[in-house]
Amino acid sequence: MSEAASGAGFVFLGGCPRSGLTVMRRLLAGHSRIHCGPDTGLPVAIAMQWENFTTQLGDLHRDDFGLEAEQVRANMAELLTGLIGEPIHGRPGHRLVEKTSLNILAFERLGRLLPEARFVHIVRDGRDVAASLLKRDWRGPDTRPFAHVSQPAAALKYWNDLTGIGLQAETALGPGRVLRLRYEDVVKKPKRSITALLRFLGLEYEPATLNYAGEPIEWIGLERESLPLLDAPVCIDRIGAGRELDGLMNEAGRERLRALGYRAEAASRTRH
């Protein structure tokens, strides 16, 4: 199997939006063997199209075009890696990190499409995620705000739904292919967290990953209002920002908090 068809060297970050994925991109981009390009949305689209081929067209490719299922998979895999992988082409030991947050929707599909790719599930306390979502002005084609950025209960459910999909993918793909990383651990103990992540990717720690403040930001694909935060060192100021939403967290949400290693009781009143 060719590297292009296997996904070797490709890393997909995913998680609920506002969970710290852009911070992670900022950190990883400083590593000499990592390329973090803009969010493309391509992995999800191509993985889902491949699944549509396999489920809806049945044996058409084999019967009418002489393409076995494995060849169809390899073709779609090479399409994806060819579109986004140019920065690491011909550079052994380098990694391409694609961090579109909603990659989480296709982790399982991508894992089957690219059998040697790695995945990182970024999680954050759902109360803090919801608080951040409710500050966004994201609107649909009809110009109306999306429910998950305008209604607190919908924001909490959005987080719960997406983290649930991520946990399913962790089980399906296994710990050797998926690493879960908590936003709170990254900002409290950045060196330890980044070292563990790099080890998972087969790379050594480099100080440049933490010393990015003041370095130029590759802003293409980033939400503009996030840029000032990304030009400062990681800090713990936003931990507990959603404590006022704790009373709206239902039992399913509290169970999810426990599953992710968070306290399910009222969020801490202590601000750092």
Side-chain angles (χ1 to χ4, degrees), residues 85-186:
E86 190 277 333
I88 63 170
H89 180 69
R91 305 177 75 182
H94 286 246
R95 305 288 185 267
L96 188 289
V97 176
E98 213 287 351
K99 64 143 284 280
T100 304
S101 60
L102 294 183
N103 281 340
I104 196 69
L105 296 173
F107 267 15
E108 288 189 55
R109 299 175 183 88
L110 286 166
R112 297 193 301 272
L113 180 63
L114 301 170
E116 293 187 32
R118 294 292 182 92
F119 302 85
V120 182
H121 182 197
I122 307 295
V123 300
R124 184 184 180 190
D125 188 311
R127 295 160 290 202
D128 292 351
V129 170
S132 184
L133 285 169
L134 293 169
K135 294 179 181 178
R136 306 301 102 188
D137 186 25
W138 297 343
R139 297 171 181 266
D142 60 359
T143 74
R144 298 174 61 183
F146 293 114
H148 65 278
V149 299
S150 56
Q151 302 171 25
L156 291 167
K157 183 179 185 300
Y158 183 71
W159 165 82
N160 199 8
D161 289 345
L162 288 179
T163 52
I165 293 171
L167 291 177
Q168 290 175 10
E170 290 181 25
T171 299
L173 298 176
R177 297 195 65 196
V178 185
L179 175 71
R180 186 195 310 162
L181 199 58
R182 301 198 320 172
Y183 167 83
E184 292 80 5
D185 295 334
V186 172

Side-chain angles (χ1 to χ4, degrees), residues 9-268:
F10 287 78
V11 184
F12 298 93
L13 272 59
C16 184
R18 313 308 301 173
S19 293
L21 281 95
T22 304
V23 170
M24 186 56 60
R25 168 181 164 182
R26 183 75 160 125
L27 290 166
L28 292 177
H31 196 282
S32 64
R33 290 181 174 267
I34 293 178
H35 176 81
C36 297
D39 299 10
T40 67
L42 288 172
V44 176
I46 291 175
M48 289 186 171
Q49 184 60 65
W50 169 63
E51 184 176 68
N52 288 340
F53 283 162
T54 61
T55 58
Q56 296 181 17
L57 299 183
D59 296 328
L60 181 145
H61 289 105
R62 183 191 65 195
D63 296 344
D64 292 358
F65 300 97
L67 292 172
E68 296 294 337
E70 170 57 19
Q71 187 59 57
V72 175
R73 183 208 64 79
N75 289 346
M76 295 297 286
E78 290 174 359
L79 171 63
L80 175 55
T81 58
L83 286 171
I84 67 175
E86 190 277 333
I88 63 170
H89 180 69
R91 305 177 75 182
H94 286 246
R95 305 288 185 267
L96 188 289
V97 176
E98 213 287 351
K99 64 143 284 280
T100 304
S101 60
L102 294 183
N103 281 340
I104 196 69
L105 296 173
F107 267 15
E108 288 189 55
R109 299 175 183 88
L110 286 166
R112 297 193 301 272
L113 180 63
L114 301 170
E116 293 187 32
R118 294 292 182 92
F119 302 85
V120 182
H121 182 197
I122 307 295
V123 300
R124 184 184 180 190
D125 188 311
R127 295 160 290 202
D128 292 351
V129 170
S132 184
L133 285 169
L134 293 169
K135 294 179 181 178
R136 306 301 102 188
D137 186 25
W138 297 343
R139 297 171 181 266
D142 60 359
T143 74
R144 298 174 61 183
F146 293 114
H148 65 278
V149 299
S150 56
Q151 302 171 25
L156 291 167
K157 183 179 185 300
Y158 183 71
W159 165 82
N160 199 8
D161 289 345
L162 288 179
T163 52
I165 293 171
L167 291 177
Q168 290 175 10
E170 290 181 25
T171 299
L173 298 176
R177 297 195 65 196
V178 185
L179 175 71
R180 186 195 310 162
L181 199 58
R182 301 198 320 172
Y183 167 83
E184 292 80 5
D185 295 334
V186 172
V187 299
K188 287 181 178 179
K189 301 176 180 178
K191 184 175 181 180
R192 178 185 297 182
S193 298
I194 292 298
T195 299
L197 172 56
L198 292 171
R199 188 180 301 118
F200 173 72
L201 301 182
L203 299 172
E204 297 292 329
Y205 170 77
E206 293 181 359
T209 57
L210 298 184
N211 299 325
Y212 63 79
E215 293 295 320
I217 300 174
E218 184 184 7
W219 62 266
I220 296 174
L222 297 181
E223 188 181 5
R224 292 296 185 91
E225 61 186 278
S226 297
L227 295 182
L229 292 173
L230 297 174
D231 204 27
V234 292
C235 65
I236 62 176
D237 289 350
R238 290 185 289 169
I239 295 178
R243 63 193 184 282
E244 299 300 333
L245 296 175
D246 184 75
L248 297 177
M249 182 70 77
N250 60 24
E251 187 54 36
R254 295 190 189 283
E255 285 298 322
R256 181 58 42 76
L257 287 170
R258 295 185 189 100
L260 296 175
Y262 294 103
R263 288 183 56 190
E265 296 75 26
S268 173

